């Protein structure tokens, strides 16, 4: 019985070992650049502050269609593994709203249903935070999801085109029509949400 | 290895069309192969981004340029990817905003253009060009304060020359 078990175990191990190379090639590191057009589609905001006379002012607007044109660029470093998956770290620069440009740092998870070394579609989602004016005071968070098309130009170079939706939440300094930008120490609460749609290209090496 | 540099196309024809991507501007580019394989012509139509990316301007300018490229060197790198180094000269015209005060008007430009770059050709009918283009010309615009016509050097053509552009082409 023992001998039988040993033979079975050995056969199974051999089977798995022979199957393994076709199931999972060794992971490969990729680096690249991503850029594109970003259209802010909707915004909601809510804020409360004390003006210079000590009066408490509250205002806001619910989620409203509000178009503004923007762009984005990022440098990416990623790892593709198990033939179908990838993790990418992205550091970039993007516009969010009028006069509001941020430096996001995001982690993206990508699924390539047709393998990342074949031409085909891919799905991705990402999340992260961002700096505004080199500071984290605005507590900016980003979440996005999208779909793309990968075209492998050679064994090492890929060209991706993608469409992505973003939700960006931040705590910007409120703007008052009489006093201009309210400083942080007089701001009680400020929260803005922006929904934008990106159309972009990426080159990975 | 049938890539465009190696193919012997004996007449002038539109060989590729693509999209220009640059902080300077975005636009369309068409490449016209010549009977002499050492020469190539490129025609670009771009939306000039002066002031757009930093939010001081909402209207892009428009720029048209024609560049006559001399191919200095061709080569092949791994994975059936070939490349060409080129230098180019030509002219540029358009209606754009120049570097200067934020309330400056757009104006008409005319000038000489010069550039250099490298084009990578892939077997998937995709060409990727990385290049730099400088422009040396004049701008005629209406003064924003006095309403007079001003003629000045087109400063952006020289200031923005070191800004690269990546053009993604589809080869026919």
């Amino acid at each position: 019985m023992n001998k039988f078990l040993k033979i079975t175990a050995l056969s199974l191990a051999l089977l798995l070992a022979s199957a393994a190379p076709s199931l999972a090639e060794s992971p490969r590191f990729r680096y690249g650049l991503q850029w594109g057009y970003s259209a802010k589609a909707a915004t909601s905001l809510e804020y409360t502050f004390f003006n210079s006379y000590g009066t408490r002012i509250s205002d806001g607007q619910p989620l409203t269609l509000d178009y503004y044109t923007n762009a984005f660029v990022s440098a990416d470093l990623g790892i593709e593994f198990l033939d179908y998956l990838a993790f990418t770290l992205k550091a970039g620069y993007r516009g969010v709203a009028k006069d509001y440009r941020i430096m996001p740092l995001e982690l993206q998870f990508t699924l390539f249903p047709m393998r990342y070394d074949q031409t085909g579609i891919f799905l991705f989602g990402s999340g992260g935070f961002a700096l505004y004016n080199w500071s984290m005071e605005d507590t900016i968070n980003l979440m996005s999801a999208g779909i793309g098309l990968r075209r492998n130009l050679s064994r090492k170079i890929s060209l991706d085109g993608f469409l992505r939706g973003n939700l960006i939440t931040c705590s910007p300094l409120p703007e008052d029509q009489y006093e201009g930008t309210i400083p942080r120490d007089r701001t009680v609460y400020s929260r803005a949400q922006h929904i934008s749609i990106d159309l972009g290209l990426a080159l990975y090496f | 290895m049938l890539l465009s540099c190696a193919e012997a196309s004996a007449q002038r024809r539109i060989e590729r069309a693509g999209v220009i991507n640059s902080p300077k501007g975005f636009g369309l580019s068409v490449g016209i192969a010549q009977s002499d394989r050492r020469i190539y012509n490129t025609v670009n139509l771009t939306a000039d981004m002066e002031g757009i990316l930093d939010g001081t301007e909402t209207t892009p300018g428009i720029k048209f340029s024609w560049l006559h490229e001399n191919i200095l060197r061709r080569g092949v790198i791994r994975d059936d990817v070939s490349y060409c180094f080129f230098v180019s000269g030509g002219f540029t015209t358009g209606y754009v905003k120049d570097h200067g005060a934020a309330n400056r008007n757009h104006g008409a430009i005319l000038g000489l253009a010069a550039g250099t770059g490298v084009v990578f050709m892939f077997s998937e009918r995709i060409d990727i060009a990385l290049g730099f283009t400088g422009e040396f010309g004049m701008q005629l615009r209406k003064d924003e304060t006095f309403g007079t016509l001003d003629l000045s050097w087109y400063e952006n053509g020289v200031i923005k020359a070191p800004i690269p552009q990546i053009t993604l082409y589809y080869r026919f």
Side-chain angles (χ1 to χ4, degrees):
Chain A
M1 192 60 181
N2 250 349
K3 202 170 176 182
F4 175 75
L5 278 171
K6 276 185 197 166
I7 291 171
T8 314
L10 198 60
S11 313
L12 205 61
L14 275 168
L15 254 170
L16 283 171
S18 62
S22 62
L23 195 64
E25 291 176 8
S26 50
R28 61 176 188 175
F29 284 100
R30 309 300 297 282
Y31 60 94
L33 200 63
Q34 198 184 94
W35 69 91
Y37 168 74
S38 177
K40 183 175 75 77
T43 297
S44 80
L45 43 90
E46 200 182 340
Y47 52 80
T48 304
F49 64 88
F50 286 105
N51 69 6
S52 50
Y53 299 104
T55 311
R56 191 179 168 109
I57 314 256
S58 281
D59 201 357
Q61 81 179 36
L63 194 66
T64 329
L65 285 174
D66 181 24
Y67 169 77
Y68 197 74
T69 188
N70 276 308
F72 65 93
V73 66
S74 75
D76 301 356
L77 195 61
I79 180 166
E80 292 173 348
F81 57 100
L82 292 178
D83 289 349
Y84 299 96
L85 306 172
F87 270 120
T88 313
L89 190 66
K90 307 183 291 184
Y93 187 60
R94 71 174 296 133
V96 179
K98 187 174 197 288
D99 277 335
Y100 201 74
R101 292 170 288 275
I102 62 175
M103 297 186 323
L105 186 67
E106 297 175 273
L107 186 63
Q108 176 174 303
F109 177 70
T110 314
L111 172 68
F112 296 89
M114 291 165 212
R115 297 173 62 115
Y116 46 71
D117 56 356
Q118 307 294 321
T119 292
I121 62 159
F122 59 89
L123 304 157
F124 61 94
S126 67
F129 68 94
L131 301 178
Y132 173 66
N133 273 349
W134 295 100
S135 144
M136 288 188 63
E137 272 194 14
D138 279 19
T139 331
I140 307 165
N141 291 312
L142 304 100
M143 266 193 326
S144 61
I147 187 167
L149 181 69
R150 164 160 289 193
R151 190 157 190 175
N152 284 300
L153 304 180
S154 72
R155 259 193 311 118
K156 303 249 180 193
I157 305 174
S158 310
L159 178 66
D160 296 347
F162 58 88
L163 187 67
R164 173 172 68 198
N166 303 290
L167 174 65
I168 301 169
T169 53
C170 51
S171 299
L173 296 177
E175 295 281 331
D176 181 59
Q177 55 179 323
Y178 303 110
E179 299 191 11
T181 309
I182 307 296
R184 189 67 66 182
D185 55 1
R186 280 200 272 130
T187 304
V188 177
Y189 174 79
S190 168
R191 203 73 183 145
Q193 290 182 323
H194 304 284
I195 294 175
S196 64
I197 298 173
D198 296 350
L199 186 65
L201 287 168
L203 267 175
Y204 288 107
F205 306 95
Chain B
M1 193 169 55
L2 295 172
L3 300 171
S4 72
C5 270
E7 276 175 0
S9 63
Q11 67 243 9
R12 191 185 303 169
R13 65 180 189 95
I14 292 177
E15 191 178 68
R16 60 189 181 206
V19 177
I20 303 167
N21 302 266
S22 169
K24 286 198 290 191
F26 293 89
L28 302 169
S29 177
V30 170
I32 305 160
Q34 306 297 304
S35 46
D36 182 348
R37 297 290 305 159
R38 292 167 299 180
I39 292 170
Y40 207 86
N41 283 345
T42 301
V43 170
N44 297 330
L45 185 67
T46 48
D48 184 75
M49 290 286 132
E50 172 63 26
I52 304 283
L53 296 182
D54 50 17
T56 54
E57 179 61 56
T58 52
T59 315
I62 186 161
K63 194 184 279 188
F64 172 83
S65 60
W66 178 85
L67 291 163
H68 183 80
E69 293 167 13
N70 282 299
I71 294 167
L72 298 178
R73 185 191 162 85
R74 298 176 189 277
V76 175
I77 52 182
R78 58 169 195 271
D79 290 326
D80 284 342
V81 179
S82 69
Y83 67 89
C84 297
F85 273 114
F86 66 89
V87 290
S88 61
F91 79 90
T92 187
T93 186
Y95 186 73
V96 298
K97 186 178 173 185
D98 196 5
H99 163 81
N103 64 344
R104 249 191 177 187
N105 283 330
H106 285 57
I109 58 161
L110 183 66
L112 297 172
T116 185
V118 59
V119 186
F120 294 99
M121 284 146 286
F122 300 91
S123 51
E124 293 272 325
R125 289 185 171 270
I126 302 276
D127 292 352
I128 299 179
L130 175 66
F132 300 87
T133 312
E135 291 143 357
F136 193 66
M138 309 286 288
Q139 186 190 38
L140 186 69
R141 73 181 174 281
K142 202 166 178 182
D143 187 274
E144 53 279 1
T145 314
F146 302 108
T148 51
L149 276 178
D150 287 350
L151 184 69
S152 61
W153 295 111
Y154 178 53
E155 293 170 11
N156 262 348
V158 176
I159 293 169
K160 289 193 169 182
I163 296 177
Q165 63 190 48
I166 296 176
T167 312
L168 297 168
Y169 288 103
Y170 179 78
R171 207 166 58 239
F172 302 120

